[in-house]
Amino acid sequence: MSKAVKLADIAQQLGVSTVTVSKALSGQRGVSDEMRTKIRRLAQEMGYVKSAQDKTKERKSYTIGVAVAERYLGAASSFYLLLYQELSQRAMRKNCFAMLEVVSYEEEQWMRMPKMVAEEKVDAVIIMGTFTIEYARFLRGNIHLPLILLDTLANEEESDSVVTSNMMGAYRMTNYLFKMGHSKIGFVGTRLATTSIDDRYFGYLKSLMQHGATVREDWIIEDRDRTTGSSDYNVHYQLPPKEEMPTAFFCNNDVAAMVMIRKLTESGYAVPDDVSVAGFDNFINEPFPKIGITTYAINIREMARRSVHILLHKLENPDYSTGVYMIDGKFIERQSTKKIGPPIPFI
């Protein structure tokens, strides 16, 4: 009896991947017409017959497009690159591939569809992070593929989303600062810039209200431009006067916390002896600061795993929907915060 021909045998003959062969034989996108014809002709010549295992592989072999705004991939903001790497690894474990497309601010303004969608190179799409409201609305209304939002929420309607527990994480972080004896706590983050920042601000507000603390606008420190998302060290991160300085700041992410520590240090304050600083994300890609940042760690692996899992279900079941899937993080205490007195009780 002759040996059964496998997808790998066809792939080896043509010098392509097994996934490419699978897509060509199952009629999926992502293979040129010329290559598809070659693969089908060779498969017929070799006497290929689909096995149950090959059929399973074909059914689960997809290309997942990941769209992210260019402003999130700066040297100090590569949290999304790490998240994409996790997505790519999770996709490969499911015999799928992830394709990253970086969308410039100009493309957002001109309402240009990502090329991977316009050229029909992907089977499903992950919108990773926040775009302008108009562009996000444009994508959701014109991408007719299985779609999920990652680390962001839709502003206007229900969408399938995977996010960390932003509000409750921020609430816990601010409660921790009150427990450390701080009653004067500022917030670092530009409101209305992203849904994640807003939710973390709401968690901060909830903690302040429950401790009877007054919300002070001069203690809300902007960290970026609300429209473009760009950050300027000399324009943003403006500290209050010395006589009005809070004893602690909760920052919407660890990059903002890192910059605040730098700003405070250059202004003559010692962290945490004079001012405590807490962050969010558990991600720093810079050598500064030397001090460890107390933070709320996002479970990146679980966010990536859950996103791929949901998309595969949506691909195989068009009516499948999860709504908002929220994933808990983990509190991590480091050296950037200090106890200065007895806990401030809830009112």
Side-chain angles (χ1 to χ4, degrees), residues 33-284:
D33 292 339
E34 181 182 359
M35 179 56 68
R36 191 185 304 277
T37 300
K38 287 182 179 179
I39 290 172
R40 288 179 173 175
R41 183 182 297 122
L42 181 60
Q44 185 175 9
E45 292 173 356
M46 295 177 68
Y48 167 72
V49 178
K50 293 181 181 180
S51 66
Q53 183 180 12
D54 287 340
K55 290 178 181 178
T56 299
K57 287 182 179 179
E58 288 177 7
R59 187 170 59 251
K60 293 185 177 180
S61 178
Y62 300 106
T63 299
I64 299 173
V66 182
V68 63
E70 183 179 31
R71 56 184 169 275
Y72 294 125
L73 299 184
S77 305
S78 53
F79 168 82
Y80 282 118
L81 282 179
L82 181 61
L83 184 52
Y84 170 71
Q85 290 170 5
E86 287 290 339
L87 282 169
S88 180
Q89 291 174 11
R90 294 290 171 177
M92 290 183 66
R93 292 177 188 178
K94 296 295 184 180
N95 199 33
C96 299
F97 283 87
M99 176 186 296
L100 179 67
E101 180 162 341
V102 181
V103 180
S104 70
Y105 183 69
E106 289 74 19
E107 289 172 316
E108 290 187 62
Q109 296 301 298
W110 285 99
M111 298 294 168
R112 291 173 180 161
M113 184 64 66
K115 290 183 179 179
M116 61 184 177
V117 177
E119 297 175 3
E120 299 185 346
K121 293 182 177 180
V122 296
D123 303 297
V125 177
I126 295 175
I127 296 177
M128 185 167 63
T130 301
F131 287 101
T132 62
I133 293 176
E134 295 77 11
Y135 190 67
R137 185 188 300 126
F138 167 75
L139 292 179
R140 294 195 305 273
N142 293 278
I143 294 179
H144 304 297
L145 296 170
L147 177 71
I148 191 171
L149 308 183
L150 177 58
D151 198 43
T152 187
L153 293 169
N155 292 80
E156 300 159 324
E157 71 280 332
E158 288 293 328
S159 296
D160 290 336
S161 308
V162 175
V163 296
T164 193
S165 50
N166 288 305
M167 180 174 172
M168 292 309 299
Y171 173 68
R172 181 177 180 184
M173 292 300 297
T174 312
N175 283 346
Y176 160 79
L177 293 173
F178 279 113
K179 186 177 180 180
M180 299 292 281
H182 297 277
S183 60
K184 301 177 180 180
I185 304 172
F187 178 83
V188 180
T190 300
R191 294 164 295 183
L192 299 180
T194 73
T195 57
S196 295
I197 293 178
D198 290 344
D199 286 345
R200 293 169 194 180
Y201 176 67
F202 295 147
Y204 161 81
L205 286 183
K206 180 178 180 180
S207 180
L208 259 61
M209 288 189 296
Q210 291 188 343
H211 287 88
T214 302
V215 180
R216 291 185 49 165
E217 283 296 317
D218 58 332
W219 288 356
I220 310 300
I221 311 299
E222 294 195 346
D223 70 331
R224 68 190 72 188
D225 181 88
R226 181 180 297 172
T227 303
T228 65
S230 62
S231 182
D232 187 322
Y233 182 75
N234 296 315
V235 174
H236 305 108
Y237 298 98
Q238 296 300 309
L239 300 180
K242 185 173 183 179
E243 60 274 10
E244 300 294 334
M245 180 65 67
T247 61
F249 284 99
F250 166 58
C251 304
N252 81 92
N253 60 48
D254 287 348
V255 172
M258 174 191 70
V259 177
M260 276 298 290
I261 292 173
R262 175 186 171 189
K263 180 75 76 167
L264 288 164
T265 301
E266 292 179 353
S267 299
Y269 297 96
V271 177
D273 291 337
D274 297 325
V275 182
S276 289
V277 176
F280 202 104
D281 287 345
N282 193 36
F283 180 82
I284 286 291

Side-chain angles (χ1 to χ4, degrees), residues 169 172-173 176 278 294-297 329-334 337:
R172 181 177 180 184
M173 292 300 297
Y176 160 79
T294 296
T295 191
Y296 185 79
K330 179 182 178 182
F331 172 76
I332 299 176
E333 184 175 30
R334 297 195 179 105
T337 52

Side-chain angles (χ1 to χ4, degrees), residues 326-339:
M326 194 170 296
I327 297 173
D328 289 334
K330 179 182 178 182
F331 172 76
I332 299 176
E333 184 175 30
R334 297 195 179 105
Q335 300 81 33
S336 66
T337 52
K338 178 181 178 180
K339 185 177 180 65

Side-chain angles (χ1 to χ4, degrees), residues 280-301:
F280 202 104
D281 287 345
N282 193 36
F283 180 82
I284 286 291
N285 194 34
E286 292 288 322
F288 187 91
K290 302 299 182 182
I291 187 172
I293 296 174
T294 296
T295 191
Y296 185 79
I298 290 179
N299 192 338
I300 294 178
R301 290 185 178 180

